[in-house]
């Protein structure tokens, strides 16, 4: 189990995370939601050890480091693959460096996204690069797959098809933590929703339990964030008052 205990992170004058505590068992599909600057990306980088933080993060009781970091994979629109290496070359590299690399899954997903095996990865379009990043993360053989806005630049049909494929290929031991702003779009695919607001956990709920209560995920998120539906009308009224003067 991945356990996050009292994690805080500060960047200069900004407090990015504030005393965050969460647990992620194996076999979950989790949506991580929050406005821009809520701390979603920072939390993922803390888990992976990319940034220093206060608090503790452990995997099965052990700190995350060289001995267990291969149990994590990360897909981000920042593109962390080798730009001059072909997708086929990446498959060969991953096979040599990740003992649990799933070549069959890699090939199936490459075909699903209609991605070429040959040619430098940098020649892919922005949307294709994001897809390729996801393919690598899902094929690495990790127990925990972190995805940070992985489908920027992809159309809704590609995204919806992928969610369906994701549900079909994940094993009981794999956990996906998906950070996205597309709350309504993924609500039918995730089993759990974690909400961050200004660096704090403001919600952690089972999506099926919400549905049993007749509560939509978007409505739950709005309530947890104290969303004010009248703010648009107030802004428009303020502008109109200014123009009348």
């Amino acid at each position: 189990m991945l356990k996050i205990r009292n994690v805080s992170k500060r960047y200069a004058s900004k407090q990015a995370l504030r005393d965050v505590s969460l647990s992620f068992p194996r076999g979950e599909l989790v949506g991580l939601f929050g406005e821009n600057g809520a701390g979603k990306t920072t939390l993922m980088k803390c888990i992976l050890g990319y940034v220093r933080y206060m608090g503790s993060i452990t995997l099965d009781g052990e700190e995350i480091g060289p001995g267990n970091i291969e149990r994590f994979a990360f897909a981000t629109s920042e593109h962390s693959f080798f730009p001059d290496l072909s997708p086929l070359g990446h498959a060969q590299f991953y096979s040599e460096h990740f003992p649990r690399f799933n070549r069959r899954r890699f090939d199936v997903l490459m075909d699903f996204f209609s991605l070429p095996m040959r040619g430098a990865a940098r020649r892919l379009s922005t949307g294709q690069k994001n897809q390729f990043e996801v393919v690598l993360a899902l094929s690495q053989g990790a127990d925990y797959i972190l995805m940070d806005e992985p489908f920027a630049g992809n159309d809704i049909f590609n995204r919806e098809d992928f969610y369906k494929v994701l549900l079909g290929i994940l094993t009981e031991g794999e956990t996906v933590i998906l950070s996205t702003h597309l709350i309504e779009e993924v609500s039918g695919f995730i089993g759990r929703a974690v909400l961050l607001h200004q660096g704090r956990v403001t919600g952690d709920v089972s999506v099926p339990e919400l549905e049993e209560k007749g509560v939509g995920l978007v409505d739950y998120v709005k309530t947890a964030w104290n969303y004010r539906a009248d703010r648009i009308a107030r802004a428009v009224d303020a502008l109109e008052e200014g123009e009348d003067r």
Side-chain angles (χ1 to χ4, degrees), residues 33 149 151 159 163 179-187:
F33 305 120
E149 296 290 351
F151 286 109
R159 297 194 303 266
Y163 300 141
S179 168
T180 179
H181 292 292
L182 305 173
I183 300 172
E184 188 169 11
E185 188 173 297
V186 302
S187 61

Side-chain angles (χ1 to χ4, degrees), residues 35-211:
E35 73 278 17
N36 291 330
K40 304 184 300 298
T41 299
T42 296
L43 179 59
M44 289 187 170
K45 289 183 176 181
C46 287
I47 293 172
L48 297 168
Y50 290 175
V51 296
R52 294 184 179 182
Y53 56 87
M54 300 293 292
S56 70
I57 301 178
T58 59
L59 179 60
D60 296 337
E62 298 182 0
E63 291 186 359
I64 298 167
N68 57 11
I69 191 63
E70 80 281 352
R71 293 178 62 187
F72 292 89
F74 189 35
T76 169
S77 56
E78 294 177 0
H79 307 145
S80 58
F81 48 77
F82 304 109
D84 293 322
L85 192 64
S86 68
L88 179 60
H90 278 84
Q92 295 167 343
F93 177 87
Y94 271 59
S95 297
E96 294 172 1
H97 292 83
F98 296 100
R100 295 168 60 188
F101 176 68
N102 189 331
R103 178 59 190 268
R104 174 60 181 165
R105 181 183 286 185
F106 177 87
D107 290 341
V108 168
L109 290 174
M110 289 292 290
D111 181 66
F112 172 77
F113 285 119
S114 299
L115 296 175
M117 281 288 196
R118 303 189 181 279
R122 59 181 167 78
R123 295 177 182 171
L124 299 172
S125 69
T126 299
Q128 288 178 320
K129 288 176 181 177
N130 294 339
Q131 292 169 348
F132 183 51
E133 188 102 343
V134 168
V135 171
L136 289 174
L138 287 171
S139 304
Q140 181 184 308
D143 297 323
Y144 288 85
I145 304 161
L146 312 183
M147 297 186 179
D148 187 14
E149 296 290 351
F151 286 109
N154 278 266
D155 61 71
I156 186 172
F157 304 109
N158 235 324
R159 297 194 303 266
E160 287 187 351
D161 286 347
F162 170 73
Y163 300 141
K164 295 173 184 176
V165 168
L166 184 63
L167 289 176
I169 66 172
L170 288 178
T171 66
E172 293 182 356
E174 291 175 293
T175 286
V176 172
I177 302 175
L178 173 64
S179 168
T180 179
H181 292 292
L182 305 173
I183 300 172
E184 188 169 11
E185 188 173 297
V186 302
S187 61
F189 301 95
I190 61 174
R192 176 182 172 191
V194 173
L195 279 57
L196 290 179
H197 179 61
Q198 296 181 353
R200 297 184 186 277
V201 177
T202 57
D204 187 354
V205 66
S206 163
V207 175
E209 288 179 5
L210 277 182
E211 293 174 348

